[in-house]
Amino acid sequence: MFLTMNRFRVKAGQEDTFEDVWKSRDSHLKTVDGFVSFHLMKGEESDGVRLYASHTLWRDRAAFEGWTKSEAFRMAHKGAKSSAELYDGPPVLEVFDSVQELS
């Protein structure tokens, strides 16, 4: 398994708008080979910023890299810059390879 995580710093008072953007967009993920699951997580507010993280689980790194080069990726991210006023800085991408899996 391969996990990608984007961390977002959302300006206080913009949480509902941020969540609406994510809930209403078509990510096209379900059409991508190797996609396993997606979660948008809401964290704590501190110093006027609410933390969020998107977690996307992939079959493997190759599936994720294929997604980033796909038309589905381009379609899912079109218009992303129009929401820039919601954020306190750019999102931070982190990626993780599976070391152990229990199920």
Side-chain angles (χ1 to χ4, degrees), residues 49-65:
V49 174
R50 170 82 62 181
L51 299 177
Y52 283 85
S54 67
H55 290 194
T56 310
L57 190 60
W58 299 90
R59 178 186 58 229
D60 51 32
R61 183 182 289 262
F64 168 71
E65 290 174 353

Side-chain angles (χ1 to χ4, degrees), residues 6-10 15 18-19 40-46 49-55:
N6 267 305
R7 290 186 296 123
F8 302 91
R9 294 173 47 87
V10 176
E15 296 94 340
F18 173 80
E19 291 177 22
L40 181 62
M41 311 298 288
K42 184 177 186 176
E44 299 293 320
E45 182 182 336
S46 178
V49 174
R50 170 82 62 181
L51 299 177
Y52 283 85
S54 67
H55 290 194

